Amino acid sequence: MSLRTNLHFESKSAVSWLTALWIFLMTVVFPYSMKDHYSQMGVRKFSFFLTVSLVCLIPAGVLAAGSWGKDCAAKVFLRMHKPESDAKTQTGVQAQAHPAARSLSNLDIAMLCYLAAIFVSWLFSVDRAAAWTGTDGWSMGLRTQVLLVLMYFLVSRYLIWWKGLLAVHMLASGGVFLLGILHRFSIDPLGMYQGLDESWQLLFLSTIGQASWYSGYVCVALTAGAAVFFIAKDNRIRMAAGLYCMLGFGTVVTQNSDSAFAAMVFLLLGLFLAGCDSFDRMERFLETLLLMFGSFKLIGILQELFPEKAKQLGSLSKFLSKSTATWVFFLIVCMGYIVLLLYRQKHEAAEIIRCGRTLRKIAVIGVVGLMLLFVVTIWANTTGLLQKWFGVSSTGQYLLFDEYWGNSRGFSWSITAETFAKLPLWRKLTGVGPDCYSVYCYADTDLAGRLHHYFGQNQTLTNAHNEFLNQLFCTGGIGFAAFVGFLAAAVCRFWKNREKEPMALMGLLAVLVYGAHNFFCYQQVCCIPFLFLLIAMSENLVRKAAEK
């Protein structure tokens, strides 16, 4: 083997090792990294992410670019000095093309378009320094986006030991889930609540910090275990994944953030759509449902057994854990599962669900229809039409859209939409700059006055609390289209390749769950790296399956 070939493989190996190290540190160490408990948790988490990325991703990116450049130069040289038929036979040049030099997928192109759109937004931002770093405490500026996209391309090309890395991710995140459950029963093994007033304890959870940050982490991390439980054939692996899912569902019903339940709806939707492929898959879907409702009720039983220890949660969490309706859901799923098993016994050759496409259409139309019905009901109730037409109305937190709706999301969404509408056309296209929401809003005296009047002088509204609306405001129509585009590209690519590579479902579920959760939340360092990571891992597996 020539010296150049040796250097090529050593460079590729170094990139793979550095990439694997980043994944290990982010999945195993990052969730537990902290100092002084919840003090400055977001700042410290981002500092860890930035340090690990600079140490691992930047050198890996430089090595990968250098290796790719040498391969390209070698190909050009051979084409110039050898006949075409002879050049194609050169050892290791054409047959073993560099990973970065292989054809770009639609997802790759969408990811590059996203980065380009963020760069354009940064270029025309109201404050380039702020748009580069991002708002203090969030730090989701151009710098972070560059690192995320770089990580995507490195993982999608150089991933090694994916099964082992996925296993340690599930083991580490499972510990985070367990700690979150223990916290909701006043058990604090790490002393995280020391010095924290009890009235604030509902707002902070496990080793992630703020409850909304925690719920985002849980929902995205959980998709990996759900995919393993859904796909795996080894019963020991399925048992381990099932236990992991129970911990995940258990902490979902106790984390006290309603956005997590929206995420669970889309997790189940993704599994159901995949379950329509075969009876085996539909069994797995029903088993996942049983795990979820069973975990909810197990938490409810523990809450009844230890009422003095259990924290008082929101109405939706309380309903799903303690109400009789959850038992009814559980029993209905049990009956459906038994009927499916009996059907399969009588029809041994039944493997493919022939009406799968119809069931998928019904499911998608049903979910979209329920969402539209919910929105129309809120609109009719808020405008008084519900009272006028049917003689009923509601002042409940879900059906009356005012400034207090959704924990003040009504106000933040309204003022964001109003401010965006006043932007000039070119600013509507490019936005105010990545993560520059507060920089722009508080520079406007009148707007800042309204925000201070509502939230107080000591609090700052740093984003719209809806990632899609926030992307539109900060990165403009171009950035919004690119963001939605790469999410859609991921869903399409992984859905089309689910048969060739079943674990591609992991990336698809991560996108669906993240989109549903962050419709009510925002981009932050405890969640977004794991979305990009699961997408990148799925892309790597799809590429390898295609090569085979």
Side-chain angles (χ1 to χ4, degrees):
M1 187 177 290
S2 68
L3 177 61
R4 191 185 73 81
T5 305
N6 273 326
L7 291 174
H8 169 78
F9 281 104
E10 287 177 5
S11 176
K12 181 179 177 181
S13 178
V15 175
S16 297
W17 277 83
L18 286 169
T19 303
L21 179 61
W22 185 91
I23 296 173
F24 178 83
L25 292 173
M26 282 299 296
T27 56
V28 177
V29 182
F30 172 84
Y32 297 95
S33 64
M34 58 187 173
K35 184 179 180 181
D36 299 328
H37 309 307
Y38 293 118
S39 176
Q40 294 292 307
M41 180 70 85
V43 174
R44 299 186 194 283
K45 292 288 189 187
F46 179 78
S47 178
F48 183 94
F49 163 79
L50 182 61
T51 301
V52 169
S53 298
L54 293 177
V55 170
C56 297
L57 297 183
I58 298 300
V62 172
L63 288 172
S67 181
W68 177 74
K70 289 178 181 178
D71 275 1
C72 290
K75 289 177 186 178
V76 172
F77 179 82
L78 287 171
R79 285 182 179 276
M80 292 175 62
H81 294 82
K82 296 285 185 179
E84 184 177 351
S85 60
D86 190 30
K88 289 183 179 180
T89 64
Q90 295 299 315
T91 303
V93 176
Q94 294 291 346
Q96 295 182 1
H98 191 277
R102 295 169 191 158
S103 61
L104 295 175
S105 67
N106 290 336
L107 177 56
D108 296 335
I109 295 171
M111 196 68 72
L112 290 173
C113 289
Y114 171 71
L115 184 59
I118 299 297
F119 178 80
V120 169
S121 179
W122 168 82
L123 194 62
F124 294 98
S125 64
V126 294
D127 186 333
R128 288 183 187 173
W132 169 251
T133 59
T135 301
D136 290 341
W138 273 252
S139 304
M140 290 293 112
L142 176 61
R143 174 182 58 180
T144 300
Q145 309 305 322
V146 170
L147 292 173
L148 291 173
V149 174
L150 173 61
M151 180 270 289
Y152 163 81
F153 279 101
L154 290 173
V155 174
S156 64
R157 268 66 175 176
Y158 296 95
L159 177 65
I160 55 175
W161 310 320
W162 73 270
K163 291 182 180 179
L165 290 171
L166 198 61
V168 295
H169 159 68
M170 290 171 60
L171 187 63
S173 56
V176 175
F177 299 169
L178 177 60
L179 186 61
I181 294 172
L182 293 176
H183 275 172
R184 290 308 190 223
F185 286 91
S186 305
I187 302 173
D188 187 16
L190 299 182
M192 297 294 292
Y193 287 153
Q194 288 181 5
L196 186 66
D197 188 85
E198 188 173 353
S199 62
W200 287 87
Q201 291 181 12
L202 271 181
L203 302 178
F204 297 91
L205 197 56
S206 191
T207 55
I208 302 299
Q210 195 179 110
S212 59
W213 291 40
Y214 176 75
S215 69
Y217 169 81
V218 168
C219 291
V220 173
L222 179 59
T223 58
V228 172
F229 180 78
F230 190 80
I231 297 300
K233 296 181 180 180
D234 189 307
N235 287 331
R236 291 171 298 179
I237 295 177
R238 292 201 67 227
M239 287 180 63
L243 178 60
Y244 174 84
C245 289
M246 289 189 69
L247 288 172
F249 291 135
T251 197
V252 162
V253 83
T254 57
Q255 45 74 49
N256 211 40
S257 175
D258 291 352
S259 54
F261 296 111
M264 291 302 100
V265 170
F266 278 81
L267 172 68
L268 295 174
L269 175 63
L271 291 175
F272 178 81
L273 297 179
C276 290
D277 286 332
S278 68
F279 285 100
D280 281 336
R281 293 285 185 260
M282 188 55 69
E283 284 183 24
R284 300 294 175 89
F285 166 72
L286 293 176
E287 288 166 359
T288 305
L289 267 180
L290 290 174
L291 284 179
M292 187 183 74
F293 288 127
S295 300
F296 288 176
K297 290 313 300 181
L298 179 59
I299 291 295
I301 291 171
L302 292 174
Q303 289 170 338
E304 294 291 348
L305 292 175
F306 306 100
E308 72 285 352
K309 292 287 186 180
K311 300 289 186 181
Q312 292 297 318
L313 303 176
S315 57
L316 190 53
S317 293
K318 187 176 180 180
F319 170 80
L320 290 171
S321 61
K322 289 187 175 182
S323 72
T324 305
T326 309
W327 279 123
V328 175
F329 299 150
F330 183 82
L331 292 175
I332 290 174
V333 176
C334 280
M335 293 171 61
Y337 186 64
I338 292 171
V339 168
L340 185 64
L341 292 178
L342 292 175
Y343 178 86
R344 292 206 65 186
Q345 285 182 352
K346 293 181 179 180
H347 303 79
E348 294 181 2
E351 294 181 359
I352 300 175
I353 301 179
R354 300 187 184 281
C355 59
R357 290 186 178 181
T358 302
L359 290 174
R360 287 194 189 104
K361 291 178 181 178
I362 292 173
V364 172
I365 293 172
V367 170
V368 173
L370 288 174
M371 291 168 59
L372 291 176
L373 178 61
F374 183 56
V375 172
V376 170
T377 303
I378 293 175
W379 170 76
N381 181 64
T382 303
T383 57
L385 291 178
L386 205 61
Q387 174 67 35
K388 180 180 178 181
W389 292 343
F390 303 102
V392 295
S393 62
S394 173
T395 57
Q397 60 174 324
Y398 295 112
L399 297 181
L400 181 63
F401 188 86
D402 56 12
E403 61 183 12
Y404 304 109
W405 184 89
N407 195 20
S408 292
R409 282 172 176 78
F411 177 82
S412 60
W413 291 4
S414 298
I415 200 168
T416 301
E418 177 186 330
T419 305
F420 180 80
K422 295 178 181 178
L423 295 176
L425 179 60
W426 69 272
R427 183 66 77 186
K428 283 186 173 72
L429 292 175
T430 63
V432 299
D435 205 17
C436 284
Y437 185 96
S438 59
V439 173
Y440 180 86
C441 291
Y442 286 89
D444 185 311
T445 305
D446 293 336
L447 185 56
R450 292 177 61 187
L451 293 172
H452 283 311
H453 177 75
Y454 188 86
F455 292 105
Q457 294 292 330
N458 297 324
Q459 289 187 330
T460 301
L461 181 65
T462 54
N463 57 74
H465 285 72
N466 176 311
E467 184 158 347
F468 298 93
L469 184 57
N470 201 69
Q471 285 282 357
L472 180 63
F473 187 87
C474 290
T475 63
I478 297 173
F480 173 80
F483 177 70
V484 174
F486 98 72
L487 294 180
V491 170
C492 292
R493 180 157 172 79
F494 300 146
W495 177 255
K496 290 179 181 178
N497 289 277
R498 69 189 186 282
E499 294 296 333
K500 295 178 182 178
E501 177 46 67
M503 277 304 294
L505 183 66
M506 173 178 64
L508 185 149
L509 293 177
V511 172
L512 292 179
V513 164
Y514 183 86
H517 183 276
N518 275 35
F519 189 84
F520 305 96
C521 241
Y522 44 85
Q523 196 175 106
Q524 39 84 10
V525 75
C526 291
C527 184
I528 189 68
F530 297 97
L531 171 68
F532 275 76
L533 174 60
L534 295 181
I535 290 175
M537 293 179 77
S538 299
E539 171 68 13
N540 179 274
L541 297 176
V542 168
R543 294 177 75 87
K544 288 179 178 177
E547 289 171 6
K548 292 179 182 179

